[in-house]
Amino acid sequence: MINALEVYRSLPRYVAARAVGGKLPGLLAGPITPLRLVHRDAPRVPGEGWVRVRPRLSGICGSDLATLHGHTSLYFTPLVSMPFVPGHEVVGETLDEAPGLPVGTRVVLDPLLACEARGLDPCDACRSGRRNRCDRITVGHVSPGLQTGFCADTGGGWGGQLVAHHSQLHALPDSLPDEKAVLVEPLACAVHAARRAQVDDGTTVLVVGAGAVGLFITLALRELTPAARVTVVAKHRGQAELARRFGASDVVSPSEVIGGVRRSTRALRLEPERGSPYLLGGVDVAIDAVGSAGSIDTALRTTRAGGRVLLAGVPAAGIDLTPAWFRELDVVGAYASGGDAFATAMSLAAAAPLDGLVGVSYPLARWREALDHASDAGRLGTVKVAFDVRSAA
């Protein structure tokens, strides 16, 4: 038996969270969220190549908060199975032996539940190394689930034990402490996003958002691409300081972004009769790292004709796509990671200035405090909030 936080199906709570969760974040950890702390059976090993993993640290991701806020699209409903234990940013240790992984190996989890994990012959996407595009995430050894942390059978990082296929596990060097290792999965997503942006020499880039996603994308852009100028939209002073540390050329507030991009790119600013201003001209590439209607709108309205808008956050509803049509923008997504992104992310985690980014770790018993903190992390000067699953109180 293990302690775990469990998301369960409740339409009334989903509707309530969707209606007020974003306006009153404190209620996220209160009576309206479909989340509970339970004492439950540990997940069983579903097949050959699977091992038990004991989490040590598990991050709280923006997609986790979006789920609990009721902001996640109903598009995902056939891609998850309930009840599930959240947590896909996981550092843990193996409890069983796996190929190349003796018992007790400290590992980081690639949460994708693709063909190999499901005991299936690889689909075209998996065969080409793009497991984030797997077409078979609803069949095979385990229940539907696009990732660990959204699947009823695997458990997740917000619990005392999970199961993972050996293909999902990456051994960690002793030199990489847990507090940096727990950032490897979001860093791998940032590596993938930076590559999907297709940045060439001289490219100007706007990153909308300076939470963990935006900061790590800024770092990946600077380390892995020849971007000429990277402007970051940061809401809070601490975020702005970190954006500069990670390589931003300029940092602007949300209220300054149109003017800042206009000046740096010599674009023309237009004011519609109703709605937000926009630019004729603008950056070559805009990356939305938030997923809100406002942040995506900002990205669309500041990108030059024929440019690229990359969606790196889970998109909200109610987006005006007129700029994409009128300016012939390439709008692309960047979901999870693929290829060698995890290996690259581990190298970045070892070399980048990541000390102190995990601001605080909470035991599962203090989950309400943890979620409140994570929901207000930017204002509080925190980049990443995590659960310390080893701690009891």
Side-chain angles (χ1 to χ4, degrees):
M1 301 291 287
I2 60 168
N3 289 326
L5 290 169
E6 181 181 84
V7 172
Y8 59 97
R9 193 179 305 279
S10 172
L11 183 59
R13 291 189 177 221
Y14 171 84
V15 172
R18 190 175 183 87
V20 302
K23 301 172 186 175
L24 299 170
L27 292 179
L28 175 66
I32 66 169
T33 182
L35 183 71
R36 58 196 174 197
L37 182 62
V38 298
H39 195 55
R40 58 180 275 170
D41 290 334
R44 62 182 182 81
V45 174
E48 186 178 351
W50 287 74
V51 298
R52 296 171 300 154
V53 177
R54 179 186 294 124
R56 296 163 64 92
L57 282 182
S58 184
I60 300 174
C61 176
S63 61
D64 299 321
L65 296 177
T67 299
L68 298 175
H69 274 304
H71 291 170
T72 304
S73 170
L74 294 176
Y75 175 94
F76 288 108
T77 53
L79 305 178
V80 303
S81 48
M82 291 191 178
F84 63 79
V85 178
H88 56 275
E89 300 175 355
V90 184
V91 179
E93 55 192 50
T94 58
L95 299 177
D96 304 301
E97 188 170 351
L101 299 171
V103 174
T105 301
R106 200 167 57 101
V107 292
V108 66
L109 175 75
D110 179 348
L112 293 169
L113 291 170
C115 287
E116 186 174 3
R118 293 178 171 277
L120 304 170
D121 292 333
C123 64
D124 289 343
C126 288
R127 191 177 296 110
S128 65
R130 299 180 177 90
R131 295 189 303 122
N132 58 323
R133 300 182 185 180
C134 178
D135 290 329
R136 297 174 182 167
I137 52 177
T138 60
V139 294
H141 281 326
V142 294
S143 297
L146 66 170
Q147 294 185 9
T148 301
F150 297 95
C151 175
D153 296 341
T154 63
W158 298 7
Q161 191 173 298
L162 60 87
V163 292
H165 192 265
H166 70 84
S167 63
Q168 296 179 273
L169 301 175
H170 300 262
L172 290 165
D174 293 339
S175 58
L176 194 66
D178 288 350
E179 289 73 19
K180 288 188 177 182
V182 77
L183 303 175
V184 168
E185 193 276 340
L187 275 169
C189 296
V191 167
H192 178 63
R195 290 170 173 170
R196 287 279 288 159
Q198 297 184 8
V199 173
D200 298 319
D201 286 327
T203 297
T204 56
V205 183
L206 177 71
V207 179
V208 185
V213 175
L215 290 172
F216 293 157
I217 288 175
T218 300
L219 174 66
L221 286 168
R222 275 306 182 210
E223 294 294 327
L224 305 175
T225 77
R229 191 177 200 91
V230 178
T231 301
V232 176
V233 182
K235 197 173 184 179
H236 305 287
R237 185 173 65 180
Q239 293 176 334
E241 292 171 355
L242 285 169
R244 293 187 182 94
R245 185 203 299 182
F246 287 170
S249 310
D250 302 292
V251 180
V252 296
S253 69
S255 63
E256 299 169 332
V257 59
I258 294 290
V261 173
R262 181 193 64 78
R263 289 189 295 272
S264 65
T265 62
R266 299 183 180 179
L268 177 64
R269 174 178 174 140
L270 297 182
E271 299 275 354
E273 289 185 7
R274 297 185 65 181
S276 303
Y278 63 90
L279 300 177
L280 295 182
V283 295
D284 301 309
V285 176
I287 300 175
D288 169 61
V290 179
S292 70
S295 64
I296 296 173
D297 192 56
T298 295
L300 291 168
R301 289 171 181 259
T302 52
T303 304
R304 65 164 176 81
R308 173 171 287 237
V309 174
L310 182 83
L311 305 181
V314 181
I319 310 300
D320 181 4
L321 292 177
T322 302
W325 167 76
F326 177 59
R327 306 303 285 162
E328 294 195 338
L329 303 178
D330 291 332
V331 180
V332 299
Y335 163 65
S337 65
D340 68 346
F342 258 80
T344 303
M346 281 204 275
S347 297
L348 284 179
L354 303 182
D355 293 316
L357 263 62
V358 179
V360 63
S361 300
Y362 291 87
L364 292 177
R366 295 171 59 194
W367 64 273
R368 299 179 189 277
E369 294 175 65
L371 294 179
D372 279 344
H373 190 158
S375 296
D376 207 15
R379 186 183 65 82
L380 296 173
T382 305
V383 175
K384 178 61 65 177
V385 178
F387 285 111
D388 186 340
V389 188
R390 301 161 296 183
S391 179

